[in-house]
């Protein structure tokens, strides 16, 4: 399910460390349900959701101070995308970002 948080970021403290919620749109399991990918991009294109992130199944992302710090995947072909409104003609522009492969501990 896509979610959006508008306004100032809410701050929470967990074990003495600051946890900050991200602003903008966010879609998990982007490739996991029929219609999820197209619905999220349509919402970004129309402005119903702000520009944001889409993660395919198996991808995890770490953000530090609101910026992407690391992305990992347990599925070799899975991707993380930055999704933004297109330039005036509707639609969206998306950029696939590299993900570091997780390896099993031995």
């Amino acid at each position: 399910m896509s979610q959006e948080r508008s306004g100032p970021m809410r701050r929470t403290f967990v074990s003495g460390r600051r946890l900050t919620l991200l602003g903008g749109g966010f879609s998990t399991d982007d490739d996991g349900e029929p219609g999820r990918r197209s619905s999220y991009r349509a919402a970004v294109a129309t402005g119903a959701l702000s520009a944001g992130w889409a993660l395919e199944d198996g991808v995890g992302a770490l953000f530090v101070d609101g910026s992407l710090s690391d992305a990992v995947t347990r599925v070799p072909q899975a991707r993380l995308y930055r999704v933004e409104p297109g330039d005036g003609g509707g639609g969206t522009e998306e950029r696939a970002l590299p993900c570091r492969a997780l390896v099993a501990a031995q």
Side-chain angles (χ1 to χ4, degrees), residues 13-18:
F13 290 88
V14 178
S15 300
R17 304 185 93 188
R18 188 178 77 199

Side-chain angles (χ1 to χ4, degrees), residues 20-36:
T20 305
L21 300 179
L22 294 173
F26 198 86
S27 179
T28 59
D29 299 329
D30 194 50
D31 58 341
E33 293 179 20
R36 179 181 292 265

Side-chain angles (χ1 to χ4, degrees), residues 1-67:
M1 182 168 189
S2 299
Q3 300 176 353
E4 176 156 312
R5 169 91 170 100
S6 59
M9 288 192 228
R10 180 183 301 160
R11 297 191 195 303
T12 306
F13 290 88
V14 178
S15 300
R17 304 185 93 188
R18 188 178 77 199
L19 174 67
T20 305
L21 300 179
L22 294 173
F26 198 86
S27 179
T28 59
D29 299 329
D30 194 50
D31 58 341
E33 293 179 20
R36 179 181 292 265
R37 184 178 181 92
S38 59
S39 295
Y40 177 64
R41 278 141 183 88
V44 171
T46 63
L49 288 175
S50 300
W53 302 93
L55 287 77
E56 292 182 341
D57 186 36
V59 172
L62 172 66
F63 293 84
V64 176
D65 294 327
S67 297

